Structure formats: structure tokens, C-alpha cells
Amino acid sequence: MTGRARDDEGADAVDEAEQLIEVDGVEKVFTVRRRAGRLRRVREEVRAVDGISFRVARGEMVGYIGPNGAGKSTTIKMLTGILVPSGGRLRVAGIDPAQQRTRLARRIGVVFGQRTTLWWDLPLKDSYELVRRMYRIPDAAYRAHLERCVELLDLAPLLDVPVRQLSLGQRMRGDIAAALLPDPEVLYLDEPTIGLDVVSKAKVRGFLREVNAERGTTVLLTTHDLTDIEQLCRRVMVIDHGRLVYDGGLDGLRAAGGGERTLVVDLERELPPIEGVPGARTVRVDGPRQWLAFPASQSAAPLVAAVAAGYPLVDLSVREPDIESLIAELYAGGGMRADAAGAGGKDGRAL
Ligand SMILES: Nc1ncnc2c1ncn2[C@@H]1O[C@H](COP(=O)(O)OP(=O)(O)OP(=O)(O)O)[C@@H](O)[C@H]1O
Ligand SMILES: [Mg+2]
């Protein structure tokens, strides 16, 4: 697999191609019927996506996060052409997804963590063969891509197993490979690590990193797992109630939210709340276990040293804030600050 040639085009063409995803003031309004009393039903509008704008350049790997019902999946469905926007303008690789869904289909890959696109009764390799025919992938390219996917996602022992017999983590790896066989320019992943164990998550993340680096595949990733973002994305967009509320580096998001990490310590025995650790405060005690909150920007090492010096320490771990609490803190903090440092060199924007 080689990276896509990018510099053999004219300067204008390159510039144009760089912005692979263009979203301008896009909205999606659903009309739902809600029960109002015993017999009456009322029509109600749900503004799932409420005027969002962003650009994603070729080769970027962007996290798209937000609480349940924020509008993430709706955005992805509009970007694939499954849903037609109620307003605004959308382009993916210069194509209007809703207007030219079939033409776009060859250039994008989609994985919805909650359901499979594989054929339930067929062995994994037969599903791939169908993908090859559907997308008319040339033999040599197909074999090369498949081989690489099998190697990186550890699929060899699974190829003869019917999809229905695969575990969730195995199936997810199978799904991701299927989405990548046609070598799409853009890959949308809607919660690709949901419900996976630590080992499967690590495999999926490692694979996505490789694909992005090797082929320059642009990735838009929706997740509730901050570790996904941490390990894969230099840029993160936060959506809440259908609106983009942050676009920038993860560090900037943490700073904006005043995010706190938690040091969880197990002591030899039950003791009064730990005191006198600079920069940390004990927020919870449960038997011999205690929780100390400290600013996400601060290193845990001096805290650990201070606790170990004064208390009989048995074990410890550091917990990152989850996405929901980061976003909650962001509002509690009275709005967002711009990500001045801009992790990865990208300026964060409070929107
Ligand atoms: N087909 C639909 N008909 C009516 N309402 C819908 C439809 N699809 C989504 N919605 C509503 O639009 C809003 C956004 O939903 P969406 O699935 O995009 O959220 P999400 O950010 O993906 O959430 P989650 O984290 O739970 O997956 C929700 O209020 C949801 O109930
Ligand atoms: Mg969703």
C-alpha cells in the first residue's frame, strides 16, 4: 500500500482536494409524533443538527464527540448520503452526498459500531469477496489490501467463520476491514470501539493509525471513549444539542473545561482522607480506597510521590475525565476558552 499521490496535480487542484469534507451551515430537522394524552398525538420538530460548519482536510484524523443525542450519528449519515440535510451545504470530495450517493459510495467507507454491514450467514472471507465484486476492486489491489488488513487486524483465524459466530470485537475488526477494502479516501467510524475489550480496542486503534499513515485515509471518528481520541486524533470537534461547541486540540478542550484527572489510591487500610498533597484534593473515600482530583494539566508523578511518602500505598491508577464530564465542566466553567496552545499546531476554537 502506498500513500495517494497528491503532488502530481496542479496547485489549484491540490488546494481544492485538501478540503475533503466541507460542511456549511448544515441542519437536520426530524418531525416526530409524540403522544399527548390518551389519544392525541402532536407533531414535534427535533433539531438533531442545528447549523454546523467545518472543514476536514485530506489525511486528517478528527474526533467527533458529544453527549448522547448530540447529533453525531445524524451528521455522519448526512455525510454518507443516507440522510438528506434540511438545510445548508455539504460536500465530500467535491460530491453532494445526498444527490450522488452511489458515486460517493466508492470513495467513502463507513462503520457503524452498533450494526454490521457484513453478511450474517457467510464466512468473513465470502463477505469480502462480495465487497470486491460490488466495488469492482482489481484483483491485485484487493489481494494486497486484504492481506494487509488480515495481518494488522489479526483476521486470519476468522476468515472461515460465519459472521454470526464472531464476537463483537472480532466482528468489528471484520467490519472495519470490509470498509477499507475498496481503499476509500474517507472513513467514517461511528463508535468503532463500543463494547470492545482492551485488547480489541488496541488492535482497532493501531490499525486505524497505520491506515491513516500509510494510505493517507481521512478519518472522522465518533466515540464516547476519550482514549480513542487521545491515541488517534490531534483535532477534536465537540457537538452538543446539534451545534458545534469546540474545534481544536484535545489539550485545549481539557484546558477549556478545566478538566480534572483523578488519582485513585489503594492504601493498606482504611484511613482518614489524605491531606497535604499539593495540587490535589481528596474527593472520595471508600474503605482503603481514596480518590484525589487534580488538574489535567498537572503531572501525576509528584502527587504519587507525596502520597507514597506519607501513606501506606498498595496500588494506584490515574483516571482521565470522560467525555461527558469534560463537556459538563466546559459549561460549568462559563463557556470555553480558545485552545491557544493548539495541540498538534492547530488552533482550537471556542465556537
Ligand atoms: N430518524 C430519526 N427520527 C427522529 N429523531 C431522530 C432520528 N434520528 C435521530 N433523531 C434524534 O436526533 C437527535 C440526535 O441523534 P443522533 O443519533 O445523531 O445522536 P448521537 O450524537 O449519535 O447520540 P449517541 O451518542 O447516543 O449515539 C436525537 O434527539 C435523536 O433522538
Ligand atoms: Mg450515535
Side-chain angles (χ1 to χ4, degrees):
M1 285 183 225
T2 50
R4 272 189 193 79
R6 289 181 216 168
D7 22 44
D8 54 351
E9 298 163 65
D12 289 350
V14 171
D15 264 352
E16 192 129 305
E18 283 305 322
Q19 300 303 335
L20 208 52
I21 303 178
E22 298 169 88
V23 175
D24 291 299
V26 165
E27 297 174 7
K28 181 68 196 180
V29 181
F30 292 109
T31 308
V32 289
R33 291 162 67 84
R34 191 174 56 83
R35 274 185 105 104
R38 234 157 55 82
L39 296 172
R40 230 161 59 83
R41 283 205 173 28
V42 290
R43 284 160 70 87
E44 227 172 40
E45 284 196 340
V46 178
R47 303 191 73 82
V49 172
D50 194 10
I52 57 171
S53 304
F54 61 84
R55 297 269 184 282
V56 176
R58 188 183 289 280
E60 266 194 291
M61 229 174 167
V62 182
Y64 194 43
I65 65 174
N68 290 127
K72 303 179 295 291
S73 298
T74 304
T75 309
I76 290 191
K77 286 175 188 162
M78 289 192 284
L79 288 169
T80 60
I82 298 172
L83 285 177
V84 184
S86 318
R89 181 178 178 276
L90 260 181
R91 290 291 180 276
V92 178
I95 296 170
D96 180 342
Q99 295 281 323
Q100 295 184 283
R101 195 172 154 190
T102 336
R103 203 178 134 213
L104 183 67
R106 307 186 59 83
R107 306 179 65 169
I108 61 172
V110 201
V111 178
F112 287 103
Q114 322 252 25
R115 57 166 216 253
T116 184
T117 48
L118 300 167
W119 284 263
W120 209 236
D121 296 307
L122 296 181
L124 203 48
K125 68 170 192 292
D126 293 6
S127 271
Y128 294 157
E129 184 55 30
L130 286 173
V131 171
R132 182 183 74 80
R133 285 191 215 164
M134 258 167 54
Y135 288 92
R136 298 199 185 89
I137 308 170
D139 254 352
Y142 171 76
R143 273 201 303 274
H145 291 166
L146 184 59
E147 202 171 287
R148 194 78 178 114
C149 288
V150 166
E151 180 195 329
L152 288 171
L153 287 167
D154 219 354
L155 294 173
L158 309 177
L159 287 174
D160 292 311
V161 181
V163 170
R164 63 165 69 253
Q165 287 173 23
L166 297 177
S167 75
L168 180 62
Q170 293 169 336
R171 203 210 71 207
M172 187 68 65
R173 274 144 55 201
D175 256 303
I176 294 174
L180 281 165
L181 281 178
D183 197 16
E185 286 160 71
V186 189
L187 180 63
Y188 305 116
L189 298 157
D190 197 352
E191 312 224 20
T193 58
I194 195 167
L196 303 195
D197 64 29
V198 181
V199 178
S200 298
K201 277 186 184 178
K203 243 174 226 158
V204 166
R205 289 175 190 145
F207 178 70
L208 294 175
R209 251 198 312 267
E210 291 276 340
V211 166
N212 174 255
E214 277 184 6
R215 297 201 216 173
T217 312
T218 306
V219 178
L220 188 65
L221 166 75
T222 281
T223 182
H224 283 280
D225 188 336
L226 260 190
T227 315
D228 286 343
I229 304 288
E230 221 157 50
Q231 300 194 350
L232 297 173
C233 308
R234 292 205 304 189
R235 175 181 170 199
V236 53
M237 298 190 287
V238 181
I239 183 171
D240 190 29
H241 292 98
R243 289 170 175 271
L244 272 191
V245 293
Y246 179 84
D247 186 348
L250 184 58
D251 289 351
L253 178 61
R254 285 218 178 92
E260 282 190 324
R261 294 196 287 167
T262 311
L263 180 68
V264 185
V265 298
D266 288 323
L267 304 176
E268 258 168 31
R269 56 187 183 279
E270 203 167 320
L271 285 169
I274 293 172
E275 281 176 9
V277 177
R281 56 180 212 291
T282 306
V283 289
R284 193 177 154 203
V285 178
D286 185 5
R289 176 167 287 192
Q290 302 207 10
W291 285 257
L292 284 82
F294 64 100
S297 54
Q298 188 179 325
S299 159
L303 267 68
V304 173
V307 174
Y311 293 85
L313 188 59
V314 178
D315 201 1
L316 62 89
S317 62
V318 176
R319 292 203 189 142
E320 299 295 328
D322 59 20
I323 283 169
E324 277 67 23
S325 65
L326 256 186
I327 294 169
E329 279 169 26
L330 220 130
Y331 288 112
M336 292 177 224
R337 288 202 312 269
D339 165 19
K346 177 157 193 352
D347 285 341
R349 275 190 297 147
L351 304 163

